[in-house]
Amino acid sequence: MTYVVTDACIKCKYMDCVEVCPVDCFYEGENMLVINPDECIDCGLCEPECPAEAIFDECDLPEDQKQFYDINVKYSQEWPNIVEMQSPPEDADEWNGKPDKINLLEV
């Protein structure tokens, strides 16, 4: 099993999760983070750290977020690995909690 970053991360991109990940399995896109499922050890440390509540255990992934498993797989192979917490976008708090942001994903 793995953890999956969902659309709640888009445009928020808080990085508290990166700070606690013991295996550095996060990858950074323009406006979202993803988890490499082959590297994730299913420790669960990242899930409670996410202020946007964007991270789910694969088994608990909401039905309307299932496509994000494939998005995490694909983009963790293309985007650069991130190992240190950085500042979120200036308008992250404005985007936090807004639903249905998939169309805003920049790839």
Side-chain angles (χ1 to χ4, degrees):
M1 291 298 157
T2 185
Y3 279 79
V4 178
V5 182
T6 62
D7 79 336
C9 182
I10 298 171
K11 301 281 254 175
C12 292
K13 203 167 89 169
Y14 297 111
M15 297 191 190
D16 305 63
C17 53
V18 171
E19 191 70 17
V20 298
C21 181
V23 294
D24 298 329
C25 66
F26 282 89
Y27 290 77
E28 182 181 17
E30 195 64 36
N31 66 352
M32 178 184 181
L33 301 175
V34 295
I35 293 172
N36 183 317
D38 294 330
E39 297 171 358
C40 178
I41 60 171
D42 198 28
C43 68
L45 293 173
C46 59
E47 183 180 20
E49 295 300 316
C50 179
E53 298 180 357
I55 302 173
F56 290 84
D57 184 300
E58 179 185 0
C59 295
D60 299 327
L61 203 54
E63 194 61 40
D64 67 336
Q65 299 293 306
K66 298 249 185 220
Q67 64 187 327
F68 278 90
Y69 177 83
D70 292 335
I71 288 170
N72 278 243
V73 170
K74 177 178 173 59
Y75 294 113
S76 66
Q77 302 301 313
E78 298 178 14
W79 293 346
N81 184 241
I82 181 168
V83 298
E84 293 182 358
M85 183 175 174
Q86 299 170 14
S87 298
E90 289 182 20
D91 61 348
D93 291 339
E94 295 172 34
W95 287 101
N96 190 7
K98 293 195 177 182
D100 305 318
K101 297 188 283 184
I102 181 81
N103 61 329
L104 301 172
L105 178 61
E106 296 177 26
V107 292

